[in-house]
Amino acid sequence: QVQLVESGGGLVQAGGSLRLSCAASGSIFSINAMGWFRQAPGKQRELVATITTGDNKNYADSVKGRFTISRDNAKNTVYLQMNSLKPEDTAKYYCNAAGVETTYRNFQRWGQGTLVTVSS
């Protein structure tokens, strides 16, 4: 089994910064892509940013220029540096990872989510 554990959420004022981390552990053979999604109250979950093993990055238009995704392949960890935070960034942020287990089965997992609250 593969597990994802997120950390780094919290309360911050508008214009501030936060850094989220997500560590994957368990029966991992390889991870192809990791990413962050978010879900605000009453809204659907949406993509924030993704990154592949080859360091290809994709961002939602709403966070381009403010958020930076990175990963440490050796640690199976993905980070999301969030700068210039806005109240509309308030949401629960979920980590996602897709890859192959040591049994050579494909997997996709979600973390439990970490809450980010941006006050105006």
Side-chain angles (χ1 to χ4, degrees):
Q1 284 284 354
V2 176
Q3 300 85 33
L4 303 182
V5 177
E6 300 132 330
S7 60
L11 173 64
V12 65
Q13 287 190 327
S17 299
L18 282 174
R19 189 189 193 215
L20 306 183
S21 300
C22 171
S25 63
S27 53
I28 298 169
F29 177 75
S30 65
I31 297 179
N32 302 324
M34 300 185 80
W36 291 95
F37 293 72
R38 66 187 182 187
Q39 188 167 17
K43 294 190 176 182
Q44 288 190 328
R45 191 172 297 189
E46 64 177 4
L47 179 146
V48 176
T50 60
I51 184 169
T52 68
T53 305
D55 210 37
N56 292 313
K57 302 173 185 178
N58 181 45
Y59 295 94
D61 288 343
S62 59
V63 307
K64 282 180 181 177
R66 300 187 298 122
F67 291 10
T68 302
I69 191 169
S70 61
R71 65 187 278 182
D72 183 332
N73 291 328
K75 296 181 179 179
N76 290 327
T77 299
V78 65
Y79 306 95
L80 186 69
Q81 178 66 42
M82 305 185 293
N83 298 328
S84 303
L85 282 160
K86 304 175 181 180
E88 50 263 44
D89 294 318
T90 295
K92 197 163 190 180
Y93 284 69
Y94 295 89
C95 175
N96 179 274
V100 181
E101 294 188 33
T102 52
T103 57
Y104 301 109
R105 295 171 122 180
N106 293 330
F107 73 84
Q108 182 174 105
R109 294 287 186 272
W110 291 94
Q112 78 284 359
T114 185
L115 187 61
V116 172
T117 304
V118 184
S119 63
S120 57

